[in-house]
Amino acid sequence: MWSIHSVFVCILVAGASLVKPVYVLEFCESTDHDCHSHDDTVSPSLNVSFINHMHDLDHFKVSCKKLIEAFPVDEVVGNFVRTVKNCIFSESIPTPLKGPLRLAAVSKDVVEGILDLDVAVTQSYDFLLYASGGRLLPGSVPLAHRYGGHQFGYWAGQLGDGRAHSLGQYTNRKGEMWELQLKGSGKTPYSRSGDGRAVIRSSVREFLCSEAMHSLGVPTSRAASLIVSEEPVLRDRFYNGHVATERGAVVLRLAKSWFRIGSLEILAQGRELDLLRKLLDFVIGEHFPSIDSTDPDKYVVFYATVVNETAHLIAQWMSIGFAHGVCNTDNFSLLSLTIDYGPFGFMESFNTNFVPNTSDNEGRYSIGAQANVGLFNLQKLLGALSPVLSLEQQQKAKHIVQGYIDIYQMRFHQLFKAKLGLLGEEEEDGYLIAFLLKMMEEMSSDFTMTFRQLSEASTQQLHSSDFAQMWALDELSSHKLFSEWLSMYLLRLGRQEDHDEDRQHRMKNVNPRYVLRNWMAESAIKKAEINDFSEVELLHHTLSFPYLTQETAEEAGYAARPPSWAKRLKVSCSS
């Protein structure tokens, strides 16, 4: 008998969430408001309010006070590369992008819902400067964060924000505090051999995926805007000696915190234990309100929380077929957010060995390895905490991390039950899931559309195996054991006190019809590189409603069989 975890120990439901529309606006060089085009079409079902939105960027202020007062800042000033000690941040001024700037994309949900700004301000030249590093926001003291990390299993030493600048924290009208950061904004002391820039190709992917993951209900950093320039940037895209000139771009991104496992590792490795305690106390005090700051076991409780939430995050990744691509400890958030979108990929044909990153020659970060990599990273986090834990606390923490796989497997099981519309708990549910996944793997079934079409098929269609209009299910139905599995599935559904329409509705709310497939991103990138941002806009809007069938998305083929050229696509760490 198959076990769900022997089939896919580390794979794939993001809970349905209410999502808001996102509008992408192209910058018009004129400051005359009549010059700008706006999409005024708003669904009557949406309660859109502009009350309390700021219409003037001069009144928008951030603060670095809390971070600067909490930690020592690098005593050396300047963006030149160096080894940094005894601090958390270095002051670092962004380098403005050269040449004409264009607003390629903006998230109205972020700009208005988080930053309290009227989205119309993004049409101004001031916004272009603020969101690209050409001008500092009021209150900003730009900082680059010092951290280290284990990369592909090995300690890499000092890493840090090599092309990112934290502008400061903003507290919105809901009382939420968000840290604003520019990515691609120039060199810092942590740039190593890099130029501090990001290119259009990688920036489009980060912008779109950040917002898409939010709409899928996955904890993630957010993206407010994407600014592109004419500045030439040299990149060897596949590390094969073919250097090409691309164009620079900057993403304005946000998170509740950008601290990651590597933030603690660098301090433990350098025996900077007072600073390690200070950073832990800060993170707990700011982001883990349920932890009592006077509890002598607070670091153990913190660790238990991170273990639990990391297991849940990776289970969510698996439920939507998402492979991060570079699961190094410097890319794993202490808040269990999805951050640092690089050579990620959404799995198309079901394959537990799917590796989106062509730089990952050994497949360390394949989709089927992500849960185990999460365990590795949590063990490294424990190593970073150990110098400030007693021997008894270290033993408690070791016991906690031993429960990680059970937490992950339980969440994985819950998510896949929801993907199949199963209510309650029956002994054979795990087998039913594993049976389906095994068939999908053997048939190289499309992951997203197989589950989506199971959601859309009525019980009558399932009984008759009428899948003529459902390409993914039609392909899977040719498996020699499909009829056996389908009979088991229908019997299981029949034991539920449930209307078929309710089952379909539940399943469609957890099985997206659209995800950011690499071929879709590549199509948008090719157009963006010639200043046509129409497909970036289309994808942004489509992926803001991933669970709803949309006419324009269907016309674009976003739910159809992937084009043949999609299999030849490659993405790498070069960005």
Side-chain angles (χ1 to χ4, degrees):
M1 181 177 289
W2 289 316
S3 156
I4 183 171
H5 302 292
S6 66
V7 175
F8 202 14
V9 68
C10 314
I11 214 180
L12 313 149
V13 135
S17 63
L18 293 176
V19 292
K20 298 179 182 179
V22 178
Y23 300 90
V24 177
L25 307 172
E26 186 169 350
F27 175 71
C28 175
E29 293 292 339
S30 170
T31 56
D32 181 355
H33 288 286
D34 293 335
C35 169
H36 306 306
S37 62
H38 298 272
D39 186 344
D40 293 321
T41 306
V42 179
S43 168
S45 64
L46 295 172
N47 180 19
V48 180
S49 171
F50 297 100
I51 297 174
N52 296 328
H53 288 152
M54 287 179 275
H55 297 265
D56 188 343
L57 281 166
D58 290 339
H59 295 99
F60 183 84
K61 290 181 172 62
V62 296
S63 174
C64 299
K65 184 178 179 181
K66 185 172 288 189
L67 295 173
I68 290 175
E69 289 184 350
F71 307 112
V73 176
D74 185 6
E75 294 179 354
V76 181
V77 178
N79 287 345
F80 62 93
V81 176
R82 58 188 181 272
T83 299
V84 180
K85 298 282 189 181
N86 301 311
C87 69
I88 304 295
F89 297 103
S90 298
E91 289 190 26
S92 179
I93 302 298
T95 304
L97 283 172
K98 298 175 183 176
L101 304 178
R102 292 175 181 266
L103 177 64
V106 64
S107 169
K108 182 178 181 182
D109 192 38
V110 172
V111 170
E112 295 195 341
I114 296 177
L115 298 180
D116 302 330
L117 290 166
D118 188 325
V119 74
V121 305
T122 63
Q123 294 292 298
S124 69
Y125 185 63
D126 284 346
F127 182 83
L128 280 184
L129 295 178
Y130 286 131
S132 65
R135 183 183 298 168
L136 293 181
L137 289 165
S140 177
V141 179
L143 302 170
H145 176 36
R146 171 191 173 223
Y147 55 83
H150 280 80
Q151 298 194 325
F152 291 88
Y154 298 96
W155 176 245
Q158 176 179 292
L159 299 169
D161 289 333
R163 53 176 174 172
H165 293 82
S166 288
L167 301 179
Q169 296 173 317
Y170 175 72
T171 303
N172 64 21
R173 63 178 182 267
K174 292 178 277 191
E176 302 169 338
M177 182 175 288
W178 292 81
E179 187 176 334
L180 280 65
Q181 189 178 85
L182 299 177
K183 183 175 180 179
S185 45
K187 287 187 176 183
T188 77
Y190 310 101
S191 295
R192 292 174 285 166
S193 60
D195 58 15
R197 291 302 190 203
V199 295
I200 290 176
R201 167 173 47 87
S202 60
S203 301
V204 166
R205 286 170 55 83
E206 170 137 12
F207 178 86
L208 288 175
C209 201
S210 300
E211 292 304 281
M213 291 286 272
H214 170 71
S215 296
L216 287 165
V218 180
T220 178
S221 58
R222 303 294 303 275
S225 64
L226 167 61
I227 309 294
V228 303
S229 75
E230 299 296 327
E231 180 174 332
V233 178
L234 299 178
R235 288 291 182 270
D236 183 354
R237 185 169 179 177
F238 298 112
Y239 305 108
N240 57 7
H242 295 109
V243 178
T245 301
E246 301 186 51
R247 289 162 55 202
V250 171
V251 174
L252 173 58
R253 59 186 194 172
L254 298 79
K256 295 292 182 68
S257 171
W258 292 101
F259 289 128
R260 60 233 21 236
I261 292 176
S263 306
L264 302 174
E265 284 186 290
I266 192 79
L267 302 177
Q269 289 280 344
R271 304 301 294 177
E272 300 169 43
L273 302 189
D274 288 343
L275 199 48
L276 176 60
R277 291 187 185 90
K278 190 172 288 189
L279 180 53
L280 279 167
D281 291 343
F282 180 87
V283 170
I284 291 170
E286 291 293 313
H287 304 291
F288 294 82
S290 64
I291 299 178
D292 183 354
S293 62
T294 64
D295 184 348
D297 283 336
K298 61 184 175 182
Y299 298 156
V300 177
V301 179
F302 163 75
Y303 184 63
T305 306
V306 176
V307 167
N308 184 73
E309 293 185 358
T310 298
H312 281 232
L313 176 67
I314 296 177
Q316 280 191 279
W317 287 357
M318 307 313 263
S319 75
I320 55 172
F322 176 77
H324 184 280
V326 193
C327 297
N328 299 326
T329 59
D330 55 293
N331 297 327
F332 258 50
S333 162
L334 290 177
L335 273 58
S336 302
L337 307 171
T338 313
I339 61 172
D340 293 350
Y341 291 92
F344 64 84
F346 284 86
M347 179 174 59
E348 294 187 348
S349 297
F350 187 96
N351 177 9
T352 57
N353 294 317
F354 169 61
V355 179
N357 179 8
T358 56
S359 305
D360 184 3
N361 297 319
E362 298 179 358
R364 176 180 176 83
Y365 297 140
S366 68
I367 195 167
Q370 287 186 134
N372 285 336
V373 169
L375 176 59
F376 175 89
N377 290 350
L378 291 167
Q379 290 168 338
K380 295 306 174 186
L381 174 58
L382 175 54
L385 294 176
S386 291
V388 295
L389 299 179
S390 67
L391 290 177
E392 182 183 354
Q393 289 172 332
Q394 290 179 40
Q395 289 304 312
K396 287 181 181 178
K398 288 177 182 177
H399 180 72
I400 287 166
V401 77
Q402 287 172 0
Y404 162 82
I405 289 297
D406 288 339
I407 298 169
Y408 169 79
Q409 291 178 345
M410 179 182 67
R411 186 61 181 144
F412 180 97
H413 180 73
Q414 292 170 342
L415 293 172
F416 273 81
K417 275 184 54 189
K419 288 179 79 68
L420 288 177
L422 306 182
L423 299 176
E425 185 68 49
E426 294 193 8
E427 186 177 349
E428 296 298 309
D429 286 348
Y431 176 68
L432 190 66
I433 296 167
F435 193 160
L436 174 61
L437 294 178
K438 182 65 174 176
M439 288 192 301
M440 289 173 63
E441 187 169 43
E442 292 177 354
M443 297 298 292
S444 298
S445 299
D446 188 273
F447 179 81
T448 299
M449 289 309 296
T450 297
F451 280 101
R452 179 65 186 199
Q453 289 174 357
L454 276 172
S455 310
E456 295 173 345
S458 66
T459 302
Q460 182 178 351
Q461 284 177 292
L462 293 173
H463 274 289
S464 63
S465 295
D466 178 14
F467 306 132
Q469 302 302 315
M470 297 181 171
W471 61 270
L473 270 186
D474 187 51
E475 291 176 1
L476 180 61
S477 68
S478 64
H479 192 285
K480 61 184 179 181
L481 297 178
F482 181 78
S483 295
E484 180 183 338
W485 177 85
L486 187 58
S487 295
M488 289 176 56
Y489 181 53
L490 287 168
L491 285 171
R492 174 66 173 87
L493 293 179
R495 290 193 292 271
Q496 297 182 170
E497 294 184 5
D498 192 28
H499 292 292
D500 195 39
E501 294 82 4
D502 294 336
R503 188 266 309 172
Q504 288 177 292
H505 179 72
R506 282 198 317 276
M507 290 177 67
K508 285 192 281 189
N509 278 343
V510 295
N511 290 306
R513 190 167 174 85
Y514 314 107
V515 294
L516 184 60
R517 299 169 184 258
N518 275 339
W519 72 265
M520 293 156 59
E522 186 68 14
S523 179
I525 288 164
K526 292 299 184 188
K527 292 177 182 177
E529 289 176 333
I530 56 173
N531 294 330
D532 176 358
F533 307 114
S534 60
E535 191 156 16
V536 175
E537 178 176 3
L538 175 59
L539 278 173
H540 196 177
H541 184 80
T542 297
L543 297 171
S544 296
F545 302 91
Y547 301 103
L548 299 179
T549 301
Q550 301 167 51
E551 183 177 351
T552 53
E554 297 299 305
E555 291 172 354
Y558 293 161
R561 283 186 182 89
S564 59
W565 57 267
K567 293 182 179 179
R568 300 190 296 271
L569 277 178
K570 297 179 180 180
V571 293
S572 75
C573 290
S574 172
S575 57

